[in-house]
Amino acid sequence: MQLGVVGLGRMGANISRRLMRAGHSTVVWDANPAAVQGVGKDGATEAKDLADLVAKLSGKPKAVWVMLPHGKITEDTVNALAGMMAPGDIVIDGGNTYYKDYVRRAKALAGKGIRYLDVGTSGGVWGLERGYCLMIGGDTDAVNHLDPIFAALAPGLGTIERTVGREGHDKRAEQGYIHAGPAGAGHFVKMIHNGIEYGMMQAMAEGFDILKNRASPTLPEGERFDLNMADIAEVWRRGSVVTSWLLDLTAAAMAKDGALSSFSGTVEDSGEGRWTVEAAIEEAVPADVLAAALFVRFRSRQDHTFAEKVLSAMRFGFGGHVEAPKTP
């Protein structure tokens, strides 16, 4: 199949590359010409602007995947594409936009006959090799039409054992992608995924902070331990209950520098954690851990502990997120 890809940042470029590896073709555009040329060298058809990208897509329906930061840039791009595409065509939004915006946009585009899919995309900078976990919302026919695209991007069964009792369930889930529901459902599921991620990361970060501070001179001398963070992270990867990809990333960062001295401890939030807490408030669902994890990120911008450095290391590991410069 052929797919247009708009936005060739950390994830958009590799989405195009992974599709081409699977035998699909892509037409790509980004405001940065160097990014377009980089993916073009790997076999993508280069476009000079959005109109050129749409024109270079052949067949019906045309489909364009938008992979941009949430906010005005995504809003403007989706609206521009809607003015260039024909009824029946498909616009896919894979960025981390607020799910209510997807519901609104889907209604607006439906009035023009254009189908709008929201695809929560998890995998970060590792997606090219590992694949992307995809949570899809929108029109069923459009989702089914693009199934070869989603199947190529998803990780597949891999080496994970199959879950006992899943006979009769949607087989796509164990391949790493699902059709979660109507427009907005895909990114609602992804939003909660990211909220959970905040809590998991915070628990791990706090644990390592407690371990590190066991050498504090304020403790009785016989109860002080000078513990090796890198070795603890590594041994927990081997058969422990807390084994996870987040722990893998932490162990890799600590193997390079046990003190994580290259991280200041300033931890940003990209929006999903806030929206998760807002959803919990709307539903009157207690979310103590997720809310606390979000508030810790706010506090990290004022003063820093080792826990915040662990959080920064994990964020850099899975998403290539770079800390904001320190303010005077």
Side-chain angles (χ1 to χ4, degrees):
M1 295 186 74
Q2 186 186 45
L3 183 74
V5 179
V6 177
L8 304 174
R10 287 191 299 262
M11 294 179 67
N14 281 345
I15 283 173
S16 177
R17 292 185 178 104
R18 186 170 174 88
L19 287 173
M20 290 188 291
R21 286 185 180 183
H24 300 287
S25 62
T26 62
V27 182
V28 300
W29 181 76
D30 188 281
N32 179 4
V36 177
Q37 293 168 7
V39 182
K41 290 178 181 177
D42 293 327
T45 299
E46 301 177 25
K48 61 183 180 181
D49 52 33
L50 283 178
D52 188 42
L53 180 143
V54 173
K56 286 179 176 176
L57 292 172
S58 58
K60 285 287 184 179
K62 296 183 178 183
V64 178
W65 186 303
V66 178
M67 203 67 182
L68 296 169
H70 71 85
K72 187 176 186 301
I73 186 172
T74 292
E75 189 81 23
D76 291 347
T77 301
V78 170
N79 289 337
L81 285 169
M84 301 172 185
M85 299 177 78
D89 287 347
I90 304 168
V91 175
I92 307 160
D93 190 344
N96 284 325
T97 294
Y98 190 32
Y99 77 97
K100 292 184 180 181
D101 288 337
Y102 288 106
V103 175
R104 172 179 55 80
R105 287 180 194 148
K107 290 180 180 178
L109 267 63
K112 300 180 179 182
I114 296 172
R115 295 174 288 177
Y116 185 58
L117 302 183
D118 57 292
V119 181
T121 308
S122 180
V125 296
W126 299 87
L128 177 60
E129 302 300 333
R130 292 169 57 104
Y132 299 93
C133 176
L134 304 174
M135 296 143 270
I136 309 162
D139 176 76
T140 298
D141 288 341
V143 173
N144 291 339
H145 174 75
L146 292 172
D147 188 76
I149 295 292
F150 299 135
L153 291 173
L157 278 171
T159 59
I160 300 174
E161 292 184 8
R162 304 184 89 156
T163 301
V164 176
R166 275 204 57 85
E167 296 81 5
H169 290 267
D170 190 337
K171 294 182 179 179
R172 293 175 294 186
E174 63 179 3
Q175 297 293 326
Y177 67 110
I178 60 168
H179 183 199
H187 266 82
F188 185 81
V189 174
K190 174 59 162 56
M191 180 182 80
I192 303 305
H193 161 282
N194 283 26
I196 292 170
E197 179 185 290
Y198 278 37
M200 293 174 65
M201 292 171 68
Q202 186 61 36
M204 192 176 299
E206 290 178 6
F208 278 106
D209 207 8
I210 296 168
L211 290 168
K212 181 178 183 295
N213 283 286
R214 199 60 207 177
S216 171
T218 63
L219 297 171
E221 186 174 356
E223 298 176 11
R224 300 175 198 166
F225 308 131
D226 187 9
L227 301 169
N228 187 306
M229 299 295 101
D231 286 351
I232 292 170
E234 185 61 32
V235 76
W236 282 355
R237 295 181 63 226
R238 313 290 172 173
S240 85
V241 175
V242 296
T243 295
S244 66
W245 187 35
L246 292 174
L247 182 59
D248 293 344
L249 298 171
T250 303
M254 289 182 173
K256 295 178 181 177
D257 175 13
L260 301 179
S261 55
S262 62
F263 297 96
S264 71
T266 297
V267 186
E268 299 295 332
D269 69 287
S270 51
E272 298 87 351
R274 300 184 190 211
W275 300 331
T276 296
V277 173
E278 288 176 4
I281 293 170
E282 288 178 348
E283 300 166 19
V285 173
D288 306 52
V289 171
L290 306 189
L294 174 64
F295 295 149
V296 167
R297 295 195 176 197
F298 297 162
R299 181 184 58 75
S300 78
R301 297 160 206 171
Q302 300 172 1
D303 56 79
H304 309 307
T305 67
F306 188 71
E308 273 91 53
K309 292 187 176 184
V310 175
L311 288 174
S312 291
M314 282 189 275
R315 293 185 81 241
F316 179 76
F318 67 70
H321 301 290
V322 179
E323 297 169 342
K326 293 182 181 180
T327 55

